[in-house]
Short mmCIF file of all heavy atoms in Angstrom, two decimals:
data_model
loop_
_atom_site.label_atom_id
_atom_site.label_comp_id
_atom_site.label_asym_id
_atom_site.label_seq_id
_atom_site.Cartn_x
_atom_site.Cartn_y
_atom_site.Cartn_z
N ARG A 1096 -17.35 -285.57 -13.54
CA ARG A 1096 -18.84 -285.45 -13.17
C ARG A 1096 -19.10 -284.32 -12.09
O ARG A 1096 -20.08 -283.77 -11.90
CB ARG A 1096 -19.39 -286.65 -12.71
CG ARG A 1096 -19.74 -287.69 -13.81
CD ARG A 1096 -20.41 -288.95 -13.34
NE ARG A 1096 -20.68 -289.73 -14.42
CZ ARG A 1096 -20.71 -291.14 -14.23
NH1 ARG A 1096 -20.33 -291.68 -13.09
NH2 ARG A 1096 -20.93 -291.89 -15.33
N ASN A 1097 -18.07 -284.15 -11.29
CA ASN A 1097 -18.08 -283.19 -10.04
C ASN A 1097 -17.58 -281.79 -10.37
O ASN A 1097 -17.34 -281.13 -9.45
CB ASN A 1097 -17.50 -283.86 -8.80
CG ASN A 1097 -18.34 -285.02 -8.41
OD1 ASN A 1097 -19.52 -284.77 -8.08
ND2 ASN A 1097 -17.80 -286.16 -8.28
N ILE A 1098 -17.35 -281.54 -11.69
CA ILE A 1098 -16.90 -280.20 -11.94
C ILE A 1098 -17.45 -279.59 -13.27
O ILE A 1098 -17.73 -280.42 -14.22
CB ILE A 1098 -15.26 -280.24 -12.05
CG1 ILE A 1098 -14.71 -278.74 -12.21
CG2 ILE A 1098 -14.79 -281.03 -13.24
CD1 ILE A 1098 -13.15 -278.79 -12.02
N SER A 1099 -17.93 -278.44 -13.29
CA SER A 1099 -18.46 -277.97 -14.50
C SER A 1099 -17.51 -277.63 -15.43
O SER A 1099 -16.23 -277.43 -15.14
CB SER A 1099 -19.36 -276.67 -14.14
OG SER A 1099 -18.39 -275.67 -13.75
N TYR A 1100 -17.90 -277.54 -16.72
CA TYR A 1100 -16.89 -277.20 -17.79
C TYR A 1100 -16.40 -275.84 -17.48
O TYR A 1100 -15.17 -275.52 -17.66
CB TYR A 1100 -17.64 -277.18 -19.14
CG TYR A 1100 -16.75 -276.53 -20.13
CD1 TYR A 1100 -15.70 -277.09 -20.74
CD2 TYR A 1100 -17.04 -275.14 -20.67
CE1 TYR A 1100 -14.75 -276.37 -21.69
CE2 TYR A 1100 -16.17 -274.55 -21.48
CZ TYR A 1100 -15.14 -275.14 -22.11
OH TYR A 1100 -14.28 -274.39 -22.96
N GLU A 1101 -17.27 -274.80 -17.12
CA GLU A 1101 -16.75 -273.49 -16.78
C GLU A 1101 -15.73 -273.50 -15.71
O GLU A 1101 -14.70 -272.68 -15.79
CB GLU A 1101 -17.92 -272.65 -16.32
CG GLU A 1101 -19.02 -272.40 -17.44
CD GLU A 1101 -19.93 -273.54 -17.78
OE1 GLU A 1101 -19.97 -274.48 -16.93
OE2 GLU A 1101 -20.54 -273.51 -18.80
N LYS A 1102 -15.94 -274.33 -14.65
CA LYS A 1102 -14.86 -274.30 -13.60
C LYS A 1102 -13.54 -274.93 -14.12
O LYS A 1102 -12.47 -274.43 -13.81
CB LYS A 1102 -15.36 -275.15 -12.36
CG LYS A 1102 -14.52 -275.38 -11.28
CD LYS A 1102 -14.15 -274.33 -10.48
CE LYS A 1102 -13.44 -274.56 -9.18
NZ LYS A 1102 -13.04 -273.42 -8.40
N ALA A 1103 -13.74 -275.97 -14.96
CA ALA A 1103 -12.52 -276.74 -15.54
C ALA A 1103 -11.77 -275.64 -16.41
O ALA A 1103 -10.54 -275.53 -16.48
CB ALA A 1103 -12.79 -277.87 -16.33
N ALA A 1104 -12.52 -274.89 -17.17
CA ALA A 1104 -11.94 -273.87 -18.12
C ALA A 1104 -11.15 -272.77 -17.35
O ALA A 1104 -10.14 -272.38 -17.76
CB ALA A 1104 -13.03 -273.30 -19.05
N ALA A 1105 -11.81 -272.36 -16.20
CA ALA A 1105 -11.10 -271.34 -15.44
C ALA A 1105 -9.90 -271.83 -14.74
O ALA A 1105 -8.87 -271.28 -14.72
CB ALA A 1105 -11.99 -270.85 -14.23
N ILE A 1106 -9.84 -273.18 -14.36
CA ILE A 1106 -8.57 -273.84 -13.79
C ILE A 1106 -7.61 -273.92 -14.78
O ILE A 1106 -6.43 -273.60 -14.57
CB ILE A 1106 -8.99 -275.14 -13.14
CG1 ILE A 1106 -9.78 -274.94 -11.91
CG2 ILE A 1106 -7.65 -275.91 -12.88
CD1 ILE A 1106 -10.47 -276.26 -11.33
N THR A 1107 -7.98 -274.28 -16.05
CA THR A 1107 -7.04 -274.49 -17.08
C THR A 1107 -6.37 -273.20 -17.46
O THR A 1107 -5.22 -273.17 -17.81
CB THR A 1107 -7.78 -275.14 -18.36
OG1 THR A 1107 -8.24 -276.39 -17.91
CG2 THR A 1107 -6.88 -275.35 -19.47
N LYS A 1108 -7.19 -272.22 -17.52
CA LYS A 1108 -6.68 -270.79 -17.89
C LYS A 1108 -5.53 -270.46 -16.80
O LYS A 1108 -4.49 -269.95 -17.05
CB LYS A 1108 -7.74 -269.77 -17.78
CG LYS A 1108 -7.27 -268.41 -18.21
CD LYS A 1108 -8.52 -267.50 -18.34
CE LYS A 1108 -8.13 -266.09 -18.79
NZ LYS A 1108 -7.48 -265.25 -17.97
N LYS A 1109 -5.91 -270.67 -15.47
CA LYS A 1109 -4.88 -270.25 -14.51
C LYS A 1109 -3.64 -271.23 -14.69
O LYS A 1109 -2.51 -270.60 -14.50
CB LYS A 1109 -5.50 -270.70 -13.09
CG LYS A 1109 -6.46 -269.71 -12.54
CD LYS A 1109 -6.89 -270.10 -11.13
CE LYS A 1109 -7.97 -269.21 -10.70
NZ LYS A 1109 -8.39 -269.57 -9.38
N VAL A 1110 -3.79 -272.39 -14.92
CA VAL A 1110 -2.69 -273.31 -15.18
C VAL A 1110 -1.73 -272.74 -16.24
O VAL A 1110 -0.56 -272.71 -16.19
CB VAL A 1110 -3.07 -274.80 -15.50
CG1 VAL A 1110 -1.96 -275.67 -15.96
CG2 VAL A 1110 -3.70 -275.35 -14.08
N PHE A 1111 -2.42 -272.49 -17.35
CA PHE A 1111 -1.61 -271.92 -18.44
C PHE A 1111 -0.94 -270.53 -18.30
O PHE A 1111 0.00 -270.14 -19.07
CB PHE A 1111 -2.49 -271.86 -19.78
CG PHE A 1111 -2.54 -273.25 -20.44
CD1 PHE A 1111 -3.47 -274.24 -20.17
CD2 PHE A 1111 -1.56 -273.62 -21.50
CE1 PHE A 1111 -3.49 -275.44 -20.80
CE2 PHE A 1111 -1.60 -274.83 -22.01
CZ PHE A 1111 -2.59 -275.77 -21.67
N GLU A 1112 -1.40 -269.90 -17.40
CA GLU A 1112 -0.83 -268.46 -17.18
C GLU A 1112 0.44 -268.64 -16.07
O GLU A 1112 1.03 -267.55 -15.80
CB GLU A 1112 -1.82 -267.60 -16.43
CG GLU A 1112 -2.82 -267.17 -17.48
CD GLU A 1112 -4.13 -266.45 -16.82
OE1 GLU A 1112 -4.24 -266.50 -15.57
OE2 GLU A 1112 -4.86 -265.86 -17.60
N THR A 1113 0.72 -269.77 -15.60
CA THR A 1113 1.74 -269.95 -14.70
C THR A 1113 3.07 -269.95 -15.37
O THR A 1113 3.20 -270.17 -16.70
CB THR A 1113 1.67 -271.26 -13.81
OG1 THR A 1113 1.86 -272.42 -14.74
CG2 THR A 1113 0.33 -271.36 -13.08
N GLY A 1114 4.17 -269.76 -14.62
CA GLY A 1114 5.61 -269.87 -15.18
C GLY A 1114 6.27 -271.21 -15.15
O GLY A 1114 7.22 -271.50 -15.97
N THR A 1115 5.88 -272.04 -14.20
CA THR A 1115 6.55 -273.30 -14.03
C THR A 1115 5.59 -274.42 -13.81
O THR A 1115 4.40 -274.23 -13.45
CB THR A 1115 7.48 -273.18 -12.78
OG1 THR A 1115 6.59 -273.17 -11.55
CG2 THR A 1115 8.37 -272.08 -12.76
N ALA A 1116 6.10 -275.59 -13.98
CA ALA A 1116 5.26 -276.79 -13.74
C ALA A 1116 4.78 -276.96 -12.28
O ALA A 1116 3.69 -277.35 -11.95
CB ALA A 1116 6.02 -278.01 -14.19
N ASP A 1117 5.72 -276.54 -11.42
CA ASP A 1117 5.41 -276.50 -9.88
C ASP A 1117 4.19 -275.57 -9.66
O ASP A 1117 3.42 -275.96 -8.79
CB ASP A 1117 6.57 -276.26 -9.11
CG ASP A 1117 7.72 -277.31 -9.08
OD1 ASP A 1117 7.43 -278.45 -9.43
OD2 ASP A 1117 8.87 -276.97 -8.75
N GLU A 1118 4.30 -274.38 -10.20
CA GLU A 1118 3.16 -273.46 -9.98
C GLU A 1118 1.72 -273.96 -10.49
O GLU A 1118 0.79 -273.95 -9.83
CB GLU A 1118 3.47 -272.17 -10.67
CG GLU A 1118 4.62 -271.41 -10.06
CD GLU A 1118 4.97 -270.14 -10.88
OE1 GLU A 1118 4.49 -269.90 -11.95
OE2 GLU A 1118 5.67 -269.30 -10.33
N ALA A 1119 1.86 -274.75 -11.69
CA ALA A 1119 0.73 -275.31 -12.33
C ALA A 1119 0.19 -276.34 -11.40
O ALA A 1119 -0.91 -276.55 -11.06
CB ALA A 1119 0.93 -275.84 -13.70
N ALA A 1120 1.04 -277.27 -10.82
CA ALA A 1120 0.59 -278.35 -9.89
C ALA A 1120 0.09 -277.80 -8.78
O ALA A 1120 -1.01 -278.38 -8.23
CB ALA A 1120 1.92 -279.18 -9.57
N ALA A 1121 0.53 -276.64 -8.07
CA ALA A 1121 -0.04 -276.04 -7.12
C ALA A 1121 -1.36 -275.49 -7.23
O ALA A 1121 -2.21 -275.63 -6.38
CB ALA A 1121 1.02 -275.00 -6.52
N ILE A 1122 -1.72 -274.91 -8.39
CA ILE A 1122 -2.89 -274.39 -8.79
C ILE A 1122 -3.93 -275.64 -8.74
O ILE A 1122 -5.05 -275.61 -8.17
CB ILE A 1122 -2.96 -273.68 -9.98
CG1 ILE A 1122 -2.28 -272.36 -9.87
CG2 ILE A 1122 -4.29 -273.55 -10.61
CD1 ILE A 1122 -1.98 -271.53 -11.08
N LEU A 1123 -3.51 -276.69 -9.50
CA LEU A 1123 -4.46 -277.89 -9.52
C LEU A 1123 -4.66 -278.41 -8.19
O LEU A 1123 -5.82 -278.70 -7.83
CB LEU A 1123 -3.80 -278.97 -10.37
CG LEU A 1123 -3.71 -278.63 -11.82
CD1 LEU A 1123 -2.91 -279.63 -12.62
CD2 LEU A 1123 -5.24 -278.68 -12.34
#
């Protein structure tokens, strides 16, 4: 409820562009 779809999509894009699970976790 506290995040827009657009913001969630941008975060998801960043997560999928990472090379490792640790990088993805750091982005989140």
